[in-house]
Amino acid sequence: MYNKYLILIIILLLNTLWAYPREEEKRFSLSVRESSLKEIILELERKTPYSFVYGSGLDLLQKRSVHAENQSITSILDSVFEGTAILWKIKGDHIVLTQENVKYTISGYIIDKATKETLIGASIMESNKRKGTVSNSYGYFTHTLPQGKVELHISYVGYQNQSIVFDLTKDTILSVQMEVSNWLNEVIIDERQNKPFSPNSGVMELTMSDIKNTPALMGEADVIKTLQLLPGVQAGVEGTSGLYVRGGGPDQNLTLLDGVNVYNINHVYGLFSIFNGDAIKKVTLYKGSFPARFGGGCLP
């Protein structure tokens, strides 16, 4: 007898649930063609018991075409907001819309417009998010920001500031050319001041003008042959491109080209170095102490 009453109660409860179906089981129809999200939201509010809640930062001007016949509200919302970077959530009789946190990367080079030289340490600031970065030793920068309107402000000492405004919707590559702002009058220093001892006193830098002004075999500028003429450096065997730095051998040198190891620095049996003088911007030689990032060896 007890079991019969229990079965009867369960049947009555099931009938009650069937009589009042859940909201998500209700079916609706929507058919729009090339309509903005704002127009689609107004149409859904008219045809369904739901109202939409969202902030002013959402991009509701995106055009969408949707055809849904006798579908649940969840299926219709998936079709409407698919690929729009807008998230939706049903809370009671409200549908809350939020912006998906999508980020993209801006990268590129900061260069001098006149000389095409890369600018090291240029400042790149995004004014809306108040986030910035600087260009590295090759003038290259990279900055990751959320999707949306971006206002980049680029500045460098001695150059005119630049501003770039655009909508960030994908990974973007920029090439920013800076113009010199003001030229200072020439300053001539007549007397020399004795500099105190520096841990980097063994560092020597050569520009391409220094290398090209050095006498060379067959008139061809050679980086390694120029370094052999510096104090503390010997050539070893006459006519070869080896470097003997303060008593060390050629196999004890660390040679880097744009940060990449170069294991063989000469060709034609050592008569010429492999470096193209027209492609070299600057040469730095460490004859004594050197930065820890090089890990060991002498760096020409």
Side-chain angles (χ1 to χ4, degrees):
M1 189 64 150
Y2 175 77
N3 292 336
K4 291 182 179 180
Y5 283 117
L6 180 60
I7 293 174
L8 181 60
I9 293 173
I10 293 174
I11 293 174
L12 291 175
L13 289 175
L14 291 175
N15 287 335
T16 303
L17 292 176
W18 290 333
Y20 300 94
R22 294 176 297 175
E23 289 297 324
E24 53 266 34
E25 293 178 348
K26 291 184 178 181
R27 303 288 176 171
F28 306 97
S29 297
L30 177 68
S31 181
V32 293
R33 182 177 179 83
E34 290 299 321
S35 299
S36 66
L37 290 179
K38 179 66 175 179
E39 296 171 341
I40 295 176
I41 288 174
L42 294 176
E43 184 68 12
L44 286 175
E45 287 181 335
R46 187 178 65 83
K47 290 187 174 182
T48 68
Y50 297 98
S51 59
F52 286 79
V53 180
Y54 51 87
S56 58
L58 291 182
D59 181 14
L60 300 180
L61 299 179
Q62 306 177 57
K63 300 289 185 178
R64 303 286 294 172
S65 296
V66 180
H67 180 74
E69 192 71 29
N70 195 26
Q71 294 186 12
S72 64
I73 186 63
T74 56
S75 298
I76 295 176
L77 292 175
D78 286 338
S79 300
V80 170
F81 297 107
E82 181 181 5
T84 62
I86 296 178
L87 303 177
W88 60 268
K89 186 174 183 181
I90 298 178
K91 292 185 177 181
D93 57 353
H94 299 289
I95 299 175
V96 181
L97 303 180
T98 56
Q99 181 69 48
E100 185 179 358
N101 190 19
V102 179
K103 293 185 177 182
Y104 297 103
T105 299
I106 306 172
S107 59
Y109 288 89
I110 311 296
I111 61 177
D112 186 299
K113 185 176 182 180
T115 65
K116 306 304 179 184
E117 294 286 339
T118 56
L119 301 180
I120 303 172
S123 175
I124 301 95
M125 173 64 70
E126 206 289 314
S127 59
N128 294 328
K129 307 295 186 302
R130 303 300 300 172
K131 293 182 179 180
T133 185
V134 295
S135 58
N136 62 13
S137 57
Y138 304 109
Y140 180 79
F141 74 93
T142 177
H143 201 15
T144 301
L145 295 168
Q147 178 184 8
K149 185 179 180 181
V150 172
E151 295 184 15
L152 291 182
H153 296 279
I154 301 96
S155 60
Y156 192 75
V157 176
Y159 288 79
Q160 298 179 7
N161 295 342
Q162 283 200 29
S163 297
I164 303 176
V165 181
F166 62 96
D167 288 326
L168 184 61
T169 59
K170 61 180 180 180
D171 291 339
T172 305
I173 299 177
L174 300 176
S175 179
V176 183
Q177 301 187 18
M178 306 286 287
E179 295 184 2
V180 177
S181 58
N182 294 310
W183 290 97
L184 298 178
N185 296 327
E186 182 180 359
V187 177
I188 300 176
I189 301 176
D190 296 329
E191 297 182 1
R192 295 183 179 180
Q193 180 181 2
N194 293 328
K195 296 182 179 180
F197 172 77
S198 171
N200 295 327
S201 58
V203 180
M204 302 191 71
E205 290 189 353
L206 296 177
T207 63
M208 274 316 301
S209 61
D210 298 329
I211 296 173
K212 290 182 177 180
N213 291 332
T214 303
L217 178 63
M218 300 176 63
E220 190 71 23
D222 192 300
V223 174
I224 302 301
K225 291 290 178 34
T226 304
L227 292 178
Q228 291 174 349
L229 302 175
L230 298 178
V233 182
Q234 292 183 350
V237 180
E238 184 68 28
T240 63
S241 297
L243 289 179
Y244 293 79
V245 182
R246 290 186 174 176
D251 58 340
Q252 294 177 320
N253 298 328
L254 172 65
T255 305
L256 301 177
L257 177 62
D258 287 341
V260 179
N261 268 317
V262 179
Y263 296 101
N264 186 15
I265 64 172
N266 52 59
H267 62 102
V268 192
Y269 302 100
L271 295 178
F272 301 98
S273 70
I274 64 171
F275 301 107
N276 184 356
D278 295 328
I280 301 298
K281 177 181 177 181
K282 182 181 66 173
V283 179
T284 305
L285 172 67
Y286 293 88
K287 298 185 297 182
S289 58
F290 47 84
R293 67 178 181 271
F294 296 132
C298 179
L299 177 70

